[in-house]
Amino acid sequence: MPDITVPSNNLTTRLPILRILKERLFIVLCIIGTVFGVLALVTLFYQVFVDGWHRLSWDFLTSMPSRHADRAGVLPALVGTLWLLVLTTLVTVPLGIGSAVYLEEFAPKNRLSKLIQVNIANLAGVPSIVYGLLGLAIFVRTLSLERSLAAAALTMSLLILPMVITASQEAIRAVPNSFREGSLALGATRWETVRNAVLPSAYSGILTGVILGLSRALGEAAPLIAIGAATFVSTVPKSPMEEGFTVLPIQIFNWADRPKREFLENSAAAIIVLMTVILVFNLLAAILRTKARKRTRA
Amino acid sequence: MPLENRSLKARYRREWIVRAGTFLCAAISILTTIGIIYVLVSESIGFFKEVSVMKFTTGTTWGPPNEFGVLPLVSGTMIIAVLAGIIAIPLGLLGAVYLSEYANERVRLIMKPVLELLAGIPTIVYGFFAVTFVTPQLKKLLPDLPAYNALSAGIVVGIMILPIVASLSEEALNAVPRSLREGGLALGATKGEVIRGIVIPGALSGIMSAFLLALARAAGETMAVTLAAGQMPNLTWDVTQSMQTMSAYIVSIAKGEAPAGSVEYQTLFAVGLALFVITLTMNMLAQKLVTRYRLKYA
């Protein structure tokens, strides 16, 4: 049948050249948008390493800060950061998991529960410096904890709780309902179900949230400056109630805020120390998350 | 202890205790909000007895203990947030488009952790980066640039909020149903045309919400702007000048010892209140927008 002719040219060659160009240009722009972040990250790390690597040594980790840049170290800041980490964990973990369990497992569907949920989302957006002002007025002044690690840890816990609660809720929500139904059918109460069926399988997801929250707390300086953490401390903190402490981010700020080049190098070296800790935390979180995903898939 | 050994009464008592306990944990988030509002308002009241609200919100000079016009601090905050937005919004959105529409699984697997890492870097490190890298580079282009300037602060805050824009926008783009894309392609549109004409408009409320959240974060950002933009309250459009943001002002006062009850101490809370109101408004708007797009495609 010779009447029917099949159009021979395919569609792509029919696209006007302008449309093709536009298409290509758009993809290139999108790639630029993606690569920009990577480039920024690489430049940032490079800059910090060039400035700080040669200052890193055992002495730098174990010395007190000093007026002489080449003799100064981060010991009080490092110990302060570790103290803060432990104390913040002790406060945040029970409160965060408790809130998440309540909201996911026990909360009745009413306006109060909804209010709590919306409120947590709003708290996550409050600037950290505002938490610092809260800590200053409540923990430092009203509860007279003074400028102690205890006041700092309580402030930090309030700051990271929204993040930890949200992540834990997501982990608890990901536990299949059949787990709960199985346990309830065996005669367990709601709490026994949560403890023996839900929490064990939400465990790695919750831990991921806690670790990410803590790694945020590790890097925060603003709220601690607001509650009056000192910028120059030459003693190692011995107890949470002791007045006067410092942490790595504040030490970094203190050094970076000085015009002298040598102090900037100290600052860079302290950044390497801080970033190493944070990277380890993020890595842990990533590993746990893959584990959690595998478990929910299985 | 096996369950059957416990009396039913004991088990129910335990159930009740746990419910009450977890409810108290969840209630802490409400208490935190009440605490923040109470502290900011009650400490500001003394201040507003001395300085009228009008003078505070419309005055154009900030110089405690004589001048209390907050506008220079607000403008500093807003200008830096807008600069950050100019960097982060287009790049973040393009990156999100690339990741959600073009990138293959491998690229996504690499880019996600990179963005997370970028989001996990402490803000003080961005401040260091501004002082040691961005400002010197900008000086090559603008030789008269002072060591502390809003431009450099805006750029690093832009890099800082880029991951927020990218990951939240990507979420919004992913929520657009596949059928809409397929419909566009079936009509003969190119992939780029579908993205610009259908996917992005379809995800618009989610994308706008991402922008708002990122800008709110930029407005509340503290350490990077304190280091990079300097400590000079300055009501100007000239971004090459030094500017003080609201958060940077709080840090500068908190670093010194402002005795409780002094007017400097009170300004901390008045400025904090202004910052809290601004960021809360942005966050709540963002949440409204998010619920809108969730409803649309639910």
Side-chain angles (χ1 to χ4, degrees), chain A residues 45 105 108 116 191 225-226 231 238:
Chain A
F45 278 146
E105 302 290 334
I116 294 177
W191 164 238
I225 292 179
T231 45
K238 283 179 202 69

Side-chain angles (χ1 to χ4, degrees), chain A residues 19 23 31 34 41 47 98-99 102 119 122-123 125 127 134 137 141 187 189-192 253 264 279 289, chain B residues 11 15 19 22-23 25 29 33 39 98 111 116-118 124 133 188 190-193 265 279 283 287:
Chain A
R19 269 176 89 191
E23 190 73 13
I31 293 178
T34 316
L41 191 69
Q47 184 68 32
S99 304
Y102 177 78
N119 182 52
N122 278 327
L123 279 178
L134 175 71
R141 308 262 177 199
T189 63
R190 285 305 291 259
W191 164 238
E192 285 157 1
F253 173 63
L264 276 182
L279 275 178
R289 189 161 30 193
Chain B
R11 283 170 67 199
E15 177 83 11
R19 276 184 195 225
T22 55
F23 172 74
C25 291
S29 75
T33 308
V39 162
Y98 184 75
M111 281 307 300
E116 246 168 55
L117 201 57
L118 211 52
I124 184 76
F133 181 79
T190 63
K191 196 164 177 180
E193 286 161 354
Y265 183 78
T279 51
N283 280 319
Q287 276 174 43

Side-chain angles (χ1 to χ4, degrees), chain A residues 200-224:
Chain A
S201 79
Y203 169 75
S204 36
I206 292 175
L207 206 56
T208 311
V210 170
I211 290 173
L212 286 179
L214 287 173
S215 94
R216 161 124 195 251
L218 276 174
E220 279 287 352
L224 298 183

Side-chain angles (χ1 to χ4, degrees), chain A:
Chain A
M1 277 169 225
D3 303 344
I4 302 166
T5 53
V6 179
S8 62
N9 47 349
N10 63 33
L11 283 170
T12 47
T13 54
R14 274 218 205 134
L15 270 178
I17 189 83
L18 206 68
R19 269 176 89 191
I20 298 181
L21 274 179
K22 239 178 152 179
E23 190 73 13
R24 292 274 152 81
L25 183 72
F26 184 63
I27 297 184
V28 170
L29 283 176
C30 288
I31 293 178
I32 289 175
T34 316
V35 170
F36 182 84
V38 183
L39 272 180
L41 191 69
V42 171
T43 324
L44 194 152
F45 278 146
Y46 176 78
Q47 184 68 32
V48 169
F49 267 91
V50 166
D51 285 339
W53 185 248
H54 68 102
R55 278 291 293 131
L56 268 188
S57 65
W58 185 247
D59 277 347
F60 183 73
L61 293 180
T62 55
S63 298
M64 295 291 170
S66 154
R67 237 182 298 265
H68 307 283
D70 53 335
R71 263 186 266 154
V74 290
L75 185 64
L78 191 59
V79 177
T81 289
L82 294 179
W83 263 112
L84 185 65
L85 189 64
V86 172
L87 294 173
T88 309
T89 312
L90 289 179
V91 181
T92 310
V93 168
L95 290 182
I97 299 178
S99 304
V101 165
Y102 177 78
L103 289 170
E104 286 303 313
E105 302 290 334
F106 297 140
K109 288 238 176 311
N110 60 17
R111 282 171 71 179
L112 180 65
S113 309
K114 208 171 165 225
L115 179 74
I116 294 177
Q117 198 68 71
V118 171
N119 182 52
I120 288 171
N122 278 327
L123 279 178
V126 173
S128 61
I129 188 91
V130 173
Y131 282 96
L133 293 177
L134 175 71
L136 173 65
I138 302 286
F139 302 133
V140 176
R141 308 262 177 199
T142 310
L143 299 181
S144 14
L145 291 172
E146 301 305 323
R147 293 143 188 261
S148 63
L149 277 163
L154 290 171
T155 309
M156 275 308 182
S157 295
L158 293 186
L159 172 70
I160 63 171
L161 263 174
M163 213 175 145
V164 174
I165 295 173
T166 317
S168 307
Q169 275 186 278
E170 264 162 34
I172 291 174
R173 217 174 296 147
V175 177
N177 249 336
S178 53
F179 282 35
R180 295 183 185 86
E181 283 153 7
S183 164
L184 291 172
L186 288 172
T189 63
R190 285 305 291 259
W191 164 238
E192 285 157 1
T193 302
V194 169
R195 203 186 60 184
N196 301 317
V198 178
L199 286 183
S201 79
Y203 169 75
S204 36
I206 292 175
L207 206 56
T208 311
V210 170
I211 290 173
L212 286 179
L214 287 173
S215 94
R216 161 124 195 251
L218 276 174
E220 279 287 352
L224 298 183
I225 292 179
I227 67 165
T231 45
F232 191 93
V233 170
S234 52
T235 51
V236 174
K238 283 179 202 69
S239 96
M241 306 310 290
E242 211 175 87
E243 223 190 307
F245 70 95
T246 194
V247 290
L248 279 171
I250 294 181
Q251 185 66 66
I252 293 166
F253 173 63
N254 181 25
W255 278 332
D257 209 17
R258 296 186 192 188
K260 259 178 128 180
R261 174 83 207 155
E262 292 80 32
F263 282 109
L264 276 182
E265 286 170 3
N266 281 353
S267 189
I271 288 176
I272 299 176
V273 177
L274 178 63
M275 283 306 298
T276 310
V277 181
I278 291 178
L279 275 178
V280 169
F281 269 63
N282 278 30
L283 207 67
L284 259 177
I287 293 170
L288 281 168
R289 189 161 30 193
T290 7
K291 225 168 135 188
R293 272 205 198 122
K294 265 188 201 142
R295 188 172 303 177
T296 42
R297 258 185 223 144

Side-chain angles (χ1 to χ4, degrees), chain B residues 136-158:
Chain B
Q137 295 302 317
L138 286 173
K139 263 202 171 136
K140 288 180 187 160
L141 297 171
L142 308 159
D144 295 334
L145 197 71
Y148 298 113
N149 62 81
L151 187 58
S152 158
I155 292 173
V156 290
V157 176

Side-chain angles (χ1 to χ4, degrees), chain B residues 26-269:
Chain B
I28 283 181
S29 75
I30 299 277
L31 287 180
T32 308
T33 308
I34 295 174
I36 288 174
I37 295 170
Y38 173 77
V39 162
L40 292 179
V41 171
S42 69
E43 298 279 352
S44 305
I45 282 177
F47 173 78
F48 286 121
K49 271 184 194 145
E50 314 253 324
V51 182
S52 75
V53 178
M54 270 305 277
K55 243 192 193 152
F56 179 70
T57 50
T58 59
T60 54
T61 332
W62 181 258
N66 306 311
E67 299 280 352
F68 297 101
V70 79
L71 279 184
L73 300 182
V74 174
S75 85
T77 303
M78 287 304 162
I79 286 172
I80 290 173
V82 168
L83 280 174
I86 292 174
I87 304 263
I89 288 176
L91 289 171
L93 180 57
L94 287 169
V97 167
Y98 184 75
L99 289 179
S100 96
E101 310 291 322
Y102 291 108
N104 57 27
E105 200 49 43
R106 247 182 63 204
V107 174
R108 223 169 303 175
L109 228 58
I110 298 168
M111 281 307 300
K112 283 273 167 124
V114 168
L115 285 179
E116 246 168 55
L117 201 57
L118 211 52
I121 291 176
T123 71
I124 184 76
V125 178
Y126 283 105
F128 174 86
F129 186 57
V131 173
T132 58
F133 181 79
V134 178
T135 304
Q137 295 302 317
L138 286 173
K139 263 202 171 136
K140 288 180 187 160
L141 297 171
L142 308 159
D144 295 334
L145 197 71
Y148 298 113
N149 62 81
L151 187 58
S152 158
I155 292 173
V156 290
V157 176
I159 298 172
M160 197 185 97
I161 62 172
L162 179 78
I164 304 175
V165 177
S167 61
L168 293 177
S169 305
E170 199 208 338
E171 227 169 79
L173 293 172
N174 281 337
V176 176
R178 219 186 139 85
S179 56
L180 287 183
R181 290 187 181 83
E182 283 164 354
L185 290 171
L187 288 172
T190 63
K191 196 164 177 180
E193 286 161 354
V194 167
I195 292 168
R196 276 166 310 190
I198 296 172
V199 181
I200 291 180
L204 203 60
S205 55
I207 292 172
M208 295 308 273
S209 139
F211 292 171
L212 268 174
L213 279 178
L215 286 177
R217 177 64 68 85
E221 208 297 308
T222 308
M223 297 318 288
V225 295
T226 306
L227 265 185
Q231 298 287 357
M232 204 166 70
N234 195 349
L235 188 65
T236 173
W237 291 107
D238 183 2
V239 295
T240 63
Q241 290 188 27
S242 169
M243 288 179 196
Q244 192 175 42
T245 65
M246 291 187 268
S247 51
Y249 171 76
I250 296 173
V251 165
S252 76
I253 294 299
K255 247 192 349 178
E257 297 239 348
S262 70
V263 79
E264 269 94 352
Y265 183 78
Q266 289 172 337
T267 56
L268 284 182
F269 295 92

